[in-house]
Amino acid sequence: MYGTGLLKGLGITLKHTFEREITQQYPEQMPVLPARFRGNLQLDFQDCIACEMCTKVCPNGVLSLESVRDDKTNKKKLMSYSIDFQYCMYCNFCVENCPKHCLHFDHNFELAAYDRENIKKVYQRPQELVTDLPEEIVAAEEKNQKRISVMIGALQKDAPKILGKLLEDEEKGKVLAAALASDQDKLEKIAVMMVEDIEKAKKVAGALANKAAKDHPKEGNVVA
Ligand code: SF4
Ligand code: SF4
C-alpha cells in the first residue's frame, strides 16, 4: 500500500523519541570509559629497573630505552625511555610482562597529533633522580645539560643562522626559524638533538623546514 514505508519510518522515529538518549555531546560531554579501556601508555620512571622485558615482548618495536650500569651495585639505571606510540596495537604484552608493574594504560584517548614526532613520548631521567647515578655519569649528565642550555640560548638568540648552518642552507634556516619562532617546545627539542645526535637533528630540522615551506609557499619558500 502506498505510504506504508513512510508510516513505518514515523513509527520508528516515534519509538526512539521516548527512549533514553545514547548519543553523547563530545567533546563537551566526555564518555564514561570501561575500567580496562586502553588509552595512552604511561611509565612510572622511578620504578623501572631497565630490565628490558617490555622492549623484548613488544611485537611492534614501540618501546626502547637507554640505561647505564652502576658498577658498585651491578644494577642498571634507566636514563631514558621512549614510546613510539604510532605503532602500538594495544596488545598489553608490555604491561603484563613488566616485573615492576610500572607500565599502565590511562584513559586518555585523544592521541591525535599533527606531527609524527609529537606522537613519540620520551621520558628523560628526572633531575631529582640524576644524583642517584654513579659519579662519572652525574658529571657527564651535568655537562650534557650545560651544553643543551647553551644551545637553547644560542638558538633563541640567532636561530636563522644556527639552523642555516645545521641545514647547510641559509634560506631553509630562515624558513625554519620563522616557523619555530612561536614554538619554544620544538626549538628546545631541536637543541637537544643538536647536542645529542646531530644527524637526527639535521633530518628532523630538514623535514620541518620543508613542511614550513610547503605551508607558507607565498613567502617565496622553496621546497627542496
Ligand atoms: S601494548 Fe603491545 S604494541 Fe603497544 S607498546 Fe605494549 S607490547 Fe608494544
Ligand atoms: S619491563 Fe618494566 S621494569 Fe623492565 S624495562 Fe620495561 S618498564 Fe622497566
Side-chain angles (χ1 to χ4, degrees), residues 65-104:
L65 61 86
E66 284 174 10
S67 63
V68 291
R69 190 173 287 281
D70 187 342
D71 290 335
K72 281 185 198 149
T73 58
N74 201 27
K75 282 186 179 163
K76 287 207 272 184
K77 303 266 185 183
L78 183 66
M79 295 301 289
S80 68
Y81 192 93
S82 305
I83 304 175
D84 201 354
F85 213 58
Q86 59 186 314
Y87 303 116
C88 179
M89 58 179 191
Y90 301 91
C91 65
N92 212 35
F93 283 177
C94 53
V95 177
E96 286 169 15
N97 285 283
C98 175
K100 301 299 281 184
H101 308 292
C102 48
L103 284 168
H104 68 273

Side-chain angles (χ1 to χ4, degrees), residues 6-175:
L6 181 67
L7 286 173
K8 243 187 196 175
L10 283 172
I12 291 170
T13 307
L14 199 67
K15 189 178 140 212
H16 286 294
T17 306
F18 298 105
E19 277 181 357
R20 190 172 62 88
E21 274 183 29
I22 53 169
T23 310
Q24 288 180 317
Q25 298 302 314
Y26 174 82
E28 288 80 17
Q29 190 186 357
M30 295 302 270
V32 179
L33 299 165
R36 291 194 296 170
F37 178 84
R38 293 171 194 167
N40 203 4
L41 185 61
Q42 302 282 353
L43 169 80
D44 295 327
F45 197 102
Q46 68 284 358
D47 296 331
C48 177
I49 53 170
C51 67
E52 295 187 49
M53 189 63 92
C54 52
T55 61
K56 284 178 187 137
V57 295
C58 177
N60 281 7
V62 175
L63 310 168
S64 60
L65 61 86
E66 284 174 10
S67 63
V68 291
R69 190 173 287 281
D70 187 342
D71 290 335
K72 281 185 198 149
T73 58
N74 201 27
K75 282 186 179 163
K76 287 207 272 184
K77 303 266 185 183
L78 183 66
M79 295 301 289
S80 68
Y81 192 93
S82 305
I83 304 175
D84 201 354
F85 213 58
Q86 59 186 314
Y87 303 116
C88 179
M89 58 179 191
Y90 301 91
C91 65
N92 212 35
F93 283 177
C94 53
V95 177
E96 286 169 15
N97 285 283
C98 175
K100 301 299 281 184
H101 308 292
C102 48
L103 284 168
H104 68 273
F105 281 101
D106 66 14
H107 278 189
N108 178 16
F109 60 88
E110 295 171 314
L111 305 174
Y114 193 74
D115 299 315
R116 273 170 185 263
E117 69 262 28
N118 288 340
I119 299 176
K120 189 170 180 176
K121 185 158 51 170
V122 181
Y123 292 85
Q124 296 292 348
R125 193 172 184 84
Q127 211 51 42
E128 63 271 22
L129 293 180
V130 168
T131 46
D132 190 29
L133 295 169
E135 270 172 32
E136 64 279 11
I137 293 166
V138 174
E141 187 60 23
E142 279 172 1
K143 201 173 161 192
N144 201 36
Q145 284 307 324
K146 264 187 204 157
R147 289 176 64 205
I148 290 170
S149 302
V150 170
M151 187 58 82
I152 291 172
L155 275 173
Q156 284 168 339
K157 209 171 161 193
D158 195 353
K161 191 176 163 193
I162 294 170
L163 294 172
K165 270 190 182 171
L166 174 72
L167 296 167
E168 294 167 6
D169 184 328
E170 267 183 41
E171 277 314 303
K172 269 192 178 182
K174 281 182 197 165
V175 171

